[in-house]
Amino acid sequence: MLRGIRNASSGWLGKTIMGAVVGFLVISFGVWGIGDIFRGYTRGSVVTVGDAKMSADQFRQLFNTRLQALSRQVRRPISTEQARMFGVDRQVLAEWVQNAVLDQYAQSIRLGIPNADVLQHITDDPSFRVPGGQFDAARFAEILRENGLSQQGYVDEQRRDTIRRQLTATLAAGLAPPTAQVEAFNRFQNEQRDADFIVLTPAQAGDIPPPAPDVLAKYFDEHKVLFRAPEYRKATMLALTPDAIAPSIEIADADVKAAYDRNPNMFGTPEKRDVQQILFFSKDEAHKAAERLK
């Protein structure tokens, strides 16, 4: 299981996507520690991914199933502590988180697979075939029983696993990093630079006599730009505003009156009248309204 996810994650994009999602969550497990699960942690769920929640019993079942598979593989019992030393508990959590993320994304985009494809995948599995190459239902049932799995549960899991492989394969298929990025990584990892240099100290330079005036003058003439100060501009501004000039000007009352008489329109406000108009459709209505207003 999860071979499709591992294959898709072998590329640079797959490693980036799956590493970012799973790595962040697995690191968060390490903050509070995973040992509580083995000490009877039953409060709520072990981990939550979107709408999916893993209970302590579910984790214990997955862990024990993996432990039994490893014991059969090495042909000797493996204790819980040994499995934890090998990181089996973290692998179980990481795989469950990967599956939960992919399952919920597949549901959000309504991704499905026909029953015929799932059955074909199961019958093509070499584990369920007899030496003649034919699918053996009895062997299929025996293997499921040894692993503590029901037939319907195994079929449902294979359906989800097939969808996950299709999803991860679609994400990683046909994608290649930009040429500029590949070249940048190649230069960063593989290119080298060789530098040869000589250190000259004042002692190695020896005694240098003071330069003659004509030598200094010649050097200055040839390098005047090095001794030139930047140019600046200085400006003086005089602001002539009414507020600044008014206090220094005195005006006689006669001049003020003469200016007022010459420009009466500038200092007066035109009279206004307010008119209210009521429209009537006939004289009779107008007379009736006037009578009511009296």
Side-chain angles (χ1 to χ4, degrees):
M1 191 175 295
L2 293 176
R3 288 192 300 270
I5 295 178
R6 294 191 185 96
N7 294 334
S9 300
S10 60
W12 70 274
L13 177 63
K15 290 181 179 179
T16 302
I17 295 175
M18 303 309 296
V21 174
V22 178
F24 173 78
L25 292 171
V26 172
I27 290 173
S28 66
F29 302 150
V31 175
W32 47 265
I34 198 171
D36 289 341
I37 299 172
F38 296 93
R39 292 192 292 268
Y41 181 84
T42 57
R43 300 187 302 274
S45 58
V46 176
V47 61
T48 300
V49 178
D51 297 332
K53 295 182 179 181
M54 173 190 276
S55 64
D57 293 337
Q58 184 181 3
F59 173 79
R60 187 177 295 106
Q61 180 181 1
L62 293 174
F63 179 82
N64 290 334
T65 301
R66 179 65 59 84
L67 189 60
Q68 294 173 5
L70 290 176
S71 299
R72 288 192 300 269
Q73 184 177 356
V74 300
R75 297 181 179 180
R76 66 179 181 85
I78 298 179
S79 65
T80 300
E81 292 299 328
Q82 290 175 331
R84 292 180 60 188
M85 291 176 59
F86 293 141
V88 177
D89 49 358
R90 292 182 293 276
Q91 293 176 9
V92 171
L93 278 176
E95 291 181 3
W96 186 90
V97 170
Q98 292 179 21
N99 293 342
V101 171
L102 293 173
D103 291 344
Q104 295 190 54
Y105 181 72
Q107 293 175 5
S108 66
I109 61 176
R110 299 178 181 273
L111 185 62
I113 184 172
N115 294 331
D117 293 348
V118 179
L119 295 178
Q120 184 65 39
H121 174 73
I122 295 175
T123 55
D124 290 342
D125 192 336
S127 302
F128 305 135
R129 293 189 175 188
V130 295
Q134 299 295 326
F135 174 78
D136 188 1
R139 181 175 176 81
F140 172 70
E142 180 182 357
I143 293 177
L144 294 185
R145 184 170 56 256
E146 291 178 354
N147 289 272
L149 301 174
S150 65
Q151 181 173 338
Q152 185 60 45
Y154 181 79
V155 172
D156 293 340
E157 180 60 26
Q158 290 302 306
R159 182 191 308 277
R160 291 190 293 268
D161 190 51
T162 303
I163 294 176
R164 295 166 194 154
R165 289 197 302 269
Q166 292 181 353
L167 186 60
T168 53
T170 302
L171 291 174
L175 296 178
T179 303
Q181 184 179 13
V182 174
E183 293 178 354
F185 283 139
N186 179 62
R187 288 195 301 269
F188 178 77
Q189 294 179 355
N190 301 323
E191 286 189 357
Q192 297 180 353
R193 295 291 186 270
D194 295 331
D196 297 330
F197 59 92
I198 301 175
V199 179
L200 297 177
T201 63
Q204 293 172 320
D207 295 334
I208 302 176
D214 57 338
V215 175
L216 291 177
K218 181 180 179 181
Y219 182 85
F220 175 75
D221 293 337
E222 294 176 353
H223 303 85
K224 288 183 177 181
V225 67
L226 299 177
F227 303 94
R228 182 178 300 169
E231 295 183 356
Y232 294 98
R233 296 293 184 270
K234 184 177 181 180
T236 303
M237 299 180 62
L238 177 62
L240 300 177
T241 61
D243 294 337
I245 299 175
S248 62
I249 300 176
E250 295 182 0
I251 303 175
D253 294 340
D255 295 335
V256 175
K257 185 176 183 307
Y260 177 80
D261 293 339
R262 287 194 305 268
N263 303 284
N265 295 331
M266 296 178 58
F267 306 101
T269 301
E271 293 183 355
K272 295 181 179 179
R273 297 291 187 272
D274 294 331
V275 177
Q276 295 181 353
Q277 183 178 7
I278 303 176
L279 299 178
F280 297 97
F281 293 100
S282 64
K283 291 183 179 181
D284 293 338
E285 292 181 1
H287 288 307
K288 293 179 181 178
E291 292 294 333
R292 288 196 298 270
L293 294 176
K294 289 182 180 180

